[in-house]
Amino acid sequence: MSFDIKTYLATYFENIQIKCPLFYNAPVGIRFELGVPYRGVDDPKYFMTVHLRAKLIVEALFDEKDEVIILVQTFKYVEPFLDFQVGDSVFSASYIKGNLEGRVQLYDESPQYDEDDGTLIGYSQTFYIQCLWSEVNNSNLIRVIGNQDFAIQPFTRDDIFLLNPKRHTIWHMYDDRGLDVIANNKSELKSLYTTFNDWILDYDRERIDYIMI
């Protein structure tokens, strides 16, 4: 039976926009800092820290046998030669194991027009797939998101959200700088708040402490 994502989001995340910046769109959430303040491709420790933090946080949200809904917001240009700007699609064997044929579903699509002359430039599209957490190569997924602002392959500029329909949490790594986790109940985030407290973004710490305490 296919996952009814519209009903699910309307039920557990009512009136919450599932888009970046996810943390600021939701009443219950935590924003974590991944990279150290200096962003530089010449420092391998920087990317090691980004990868380690993102991996530990996402693995704390899923058990091996959990279902995961991978929601991807992308842009499809009318001119095919512009599609290289989007980067990799995560709906491939590098990121999700098994046969993906017929499993990826279209959730939403809307045309986008040039602000100056009104010509159609492309379509904002949202796709999703239902799979097991054990099928997801989260290391590759984190790496391709973290590379998006640098001249490093592979990369993707798609927004990728990982939903746990059992715990009602959503994970979103917006780039190498940080990631957001939201939930429909703060009890699901208590463990993250305690375990990874030192990684909470200081800019939002006061708000997060108020939510979680």
Side-chain angles (χ1 to χ4, degrees):
M1 183 176 180
S2 61
F3 186 79
D4 187 347
I5 193 167
K6 289 186 178 181
T7 299
Y8 174 79
L9 292 176
T11 302
Y12 294 102
F13 295 95
E14 185 179 8
N15 298 323
I16 296 175
Q17 292 184 302
I18 309 303
K19 68 177 187 178
C20 190
L22 188 62
F23 171 74
Y24 299 113
N25 296 338
V28 177
I30 303 176
R31 172 159 281 204
F32 293 101
E33 184 175 26
L34 297 179
V36 292
Y38 169 69
R39 301 177 77 192
V41 294
D42 57 335
D43 184 359
K45 291 182 180 179
Y46 176 82
F47 288 101
M48 289 173 59
T49 300
V50 170
H51 189 271
L52 177 64
R53 290 189 178 190
K55 186 174 177 64
L56 289 174
I57 292 169
V58 76
E59 289 182 346
L61 290 170
F62 292 93
D63 295 324
E64 196 73 6
K65 295 182 180 180
D66 280 350
E67 284 190 334
V68 55
I69 309 301
I70 304 177
L71 184 74
V72 177
Q73 296 171 351
T74 189
F75 193 86
K76 180 67 176 178
Y77 287 94
V78 171
E79 297 293 345
F81 71 90
L82 293 174
D83 278 342
F84 77 92
Q85 300 180 57
V86 177
D88 269 19
S89 167
V90 298
F91 297 127
S92 70
S94 296
Y95 308 101
I96 305 171
K97 302 172 187 175
N99 183 8
L100 303 184
E101 186 176 353
R103 295 172 62 190
V104 179
Q105 304 293 316
L106 178 65
Y107 171 51
D108 187 61
E109 182 177 65
S110 58
Q112 301 296 315
Y113 300 93
D114 188 280
E115 293 181 357
D116 295 324
D117 60 20
T119 58
L120 179 68
I121 58 174
Y123 296 87
S124 294
Q125 298 175 319
T126 303
F127 296 92
Y128 70 97
I129 187 172
Q130 178 184 15
C131 58
L132 293 175
W133 180 241
S134 58
E135 295 180 280
V136 179
N137 188 325
N138 64 69
S139 288
N140 284 356
L141 196 64
I142 290 165
R143 185 172 295 109
V144 77
I145 298 170
N147 287 347
Q148 66 180 270
D149 287 343
F150 304 94
I152 301 175
Q153 294 285 350
F155 74 91
T156 185
R157 292 200 170 93
D158 293 344
D159 276 320
I160 300 164
F161 302 84
L162 305 183
L163 288 68
N164 186 326
K166 182 176 73 173
R167 299 180 60 179
H168 309 310
T169 58
I170 303 178
W171 175 99
H172 175 244
M173 178 178 167
Y174 47 89
D175 58 27
D176 60 289
R177 294 170 299 170
L179 67 82
D180 298 331
V181 182
I182 69 168
N184 78 331
N185 190 313
K186 71 178 182 180
S187 63
E188 291 293 348
L189 301 184
K190 280 288 188 181
S191 178
L192 289 185
Y193 175 75
T194 303
T195 304
F196 306 113
N197 195 275
D198 289 345
W199 299 349
I200 290 174
L201 185 65
D202 284 336
Y203 180 83
D204 293 304
R205 181 174 290 277
E206 184 176 348
R207 172 180 172 176
I208 294 166
D209 287 344
Y210 179 80
I211 293 169
M212 299 303 302
I213 295 175

